[in-house]
């Protein structure tokens, strides 16, 4: 399987706990994006990387959220001190930087904060 | 700022009917890209099509066709002879060209139910 993979697929946690999600992009893609999708809404952009550099962060990305992409390969998204409002699907996508690139999405990690 | 509007929240059709999903976008940029993605119940977003702002040719791929009209800022998607497997949420999205594509701005999606 050469698509984008995400782990875990589901996560249930208690309010106040920290959680970390992982995304492995398509191997030749140097751009990686994180989005969040709540019920009945379209995905909303959180942040993206080109190689290991984090190029942009959305206002949605509060101080409790941090993302990394060491060595420009996989990426992690950590949420500290989770709140019930963090419950959502977290989607990862990757793309190349070639002209007219397309973002390809992983299956997502569904987070439920109790 | 960019914005995508999908006014149809839910559509229900009987199998073999044709259905059109509407998408209206807003941007001040002259170079931009429009996309359609399908999200089946499994949750993964599946890429369907990409269109750039300089190419207004309509496109057909099997039962799918897309109508891009810059004059009305619309990028509508038609499924001909719908099938039960077409049941999903469909998202229209926009990105603009700023030294490489920027992150996608999505509409809220249209949930399509095809009834056998």
């Amino acid at each position: 399987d050469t698509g984008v993979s995400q782990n875990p697929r589901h996560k249930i946690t208690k309010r106040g706990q920290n959680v970390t999600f992982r995304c492995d992009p398509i191997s030749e893609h140097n751009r990686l994006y994180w989005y969040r999708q709540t019920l009945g809404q379209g995905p909303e952009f959180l942040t993206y990387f080109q190689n290991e550099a984090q190029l942009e962060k959305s206002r949605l990305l509060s101080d409790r959220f941090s993302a990394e992409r060491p060595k420009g390969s996989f990426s992690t998204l950590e949420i500290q001190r989770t709140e019930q409002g963090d419950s959502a699907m977290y989607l990862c996508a990757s793309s190349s930087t070639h002209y007219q690139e397309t973002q390809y999405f992983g299956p997502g990690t569904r987070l439920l904060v109790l | 700022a960019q914005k995508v509007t999908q006014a149809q929240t839910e559509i229900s059709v009987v199998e073999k009917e044709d259905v059109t999903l509407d998408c209206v976008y807003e941007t001040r940029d002259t170079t931009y890209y429009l996309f359609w993605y399908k999200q089946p119940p499994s949750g993964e977003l599946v890429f369907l099509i990409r269109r750039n702002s300089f190419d207004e040719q309509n496109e057909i791929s099997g039962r799918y066709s897309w109508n891009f009209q810059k004059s009305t800022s619309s990028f509508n998607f038609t499924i001909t002879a719908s099938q039960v497997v077409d049941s999903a949420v469909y998202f229209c999205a926009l990105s603009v060209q700023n030294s490489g594509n920027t992150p996608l701005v999505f509409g809220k999606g249209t949930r399509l139910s095809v009834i056998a």
Side-chain angles (χ1 to χ4, degrees):
Chain A
D1 186 3
T2 57
V4 178
S5 62
Q6 292 186 245
N7 287 289
R9 295 291 308 278
H10 303 273
K11 179 71 177 179
I12 300 174
T13 191
K14 293 182 179 179
R15 188 175 52 189
Q17 297 295 304
N18 298 344
V19 294
T20 299
F21 309 142
R22 174 175 170 135
C23 172
D24 287 88
I26 294 171
S27 58
E28 62 267 27
H29 285 178
N30 54 2
R31 284 199 170 191
L32 187 149
Y33 303 78
W34 286 99
Y35 293 83
R36 182 172 69 185
Q37 185 180 19
T38 53
L39 202 61
Q41 302 295 315
E44 295 175 294
F45 167 70
L46 293 178
T47 187
Y48 87 98
F49 295 83
Q50 180 160 312
N51 300 313
E52 65 275 10
Q54 190 171 15
L55 296 187
E56 187 175 342
K57 292 193 288 186
S58 160
R59 290 173 296 175
L60 293 176
L61 210 67
S62 77
D63 291 343
R64 297 184 297 105
F65 288 68
S66 63
E68 293 182 342
R69 193 183 182 197
K71 303 179 183 178
S73 55
F74 70 92
S75 175
T76 58
L77 177 68
E78 181 183 16
I79 309 175
Q80 296 182 326
R81 305 181 303 282
T82 53
E83 302 173 354
Q84 288 184 327
D86 297 330
S87 295
M89 173 81 91
Y90 290 84
L91 294 163
C92 176
S94 71
S95 72
S96 70
T97 49
H98 295 312
Y99 183 60
Q100 293 192 6
E101 77 229 32
T102 292
Q103 293 180 32
Y104 294 94
F105 284 80
T109 295
R110 188 173 295 280
L111 173 66
L112 177 61
V113 182
L114 301 176
Chain B
Q2 291 78 41
K3 184 179 179 182
V4 175
T5 301
Q6 295 180 256
Q8 304 150 308
T9 305
E10 293 190 36
I11 300 176
S12 184
V13 299
V14 176
E15 202 171 21
K16 298 184 182 177
E17 285 185 352
D18 299 346
V19 58
T20 296
L21 310 182
D22 298 332
C23 172
V24 173
Y25 62 92
E26 296 176 31
T27 179
R28 293 184 178 180
D29 291 82
T30 56
T31 303
Y32 52 88
Y33 301 93
L34 296 163
F35 301 79
W36 276 94
Y37 286 86
K38 174 182 180 180
Q39 189 173 44
S42 61
E44 184 167 348
L45 281 165
V46 178
F47 165 72
L48 295 178
I49 190 172
R50 176 190 61 233
R51 239 337 167 229
N52 74 52
S53 52
F54 298 110
D55 183 0
E56 286 194 73
Q57 279 191 336
N58 292 330
E59 181 157 339
I60 298 175
S61 175
R63 296 184 298 106
Y64 295 171
S65 63
W66 291 269
N67 182 290
F68 176 29
Q69 292 193 339
K70 286 180 75 171
S71 60
T72 56
S73 298
S74 65
F75 186 44
N76 297 338
F77 173 30
T78 297
I79 302 175
T80 302
S82 59
Q83 300 177 0
V84 172
V85 293
D86 296 327
S87 297
V89 181
Y90 290 86
F91 291 97
C92 181
L94 166 73
S95 75
V96 298
Q97 181 73 40
N98 277 329
S99 62
N101 286 356
T102 58
L104 295 168
V105 174
F106 285 86
K108 292 189 175 182
T110 297
R111 180 177 299 277
L112 174 65
S113 298
V114 182
I115 304 166

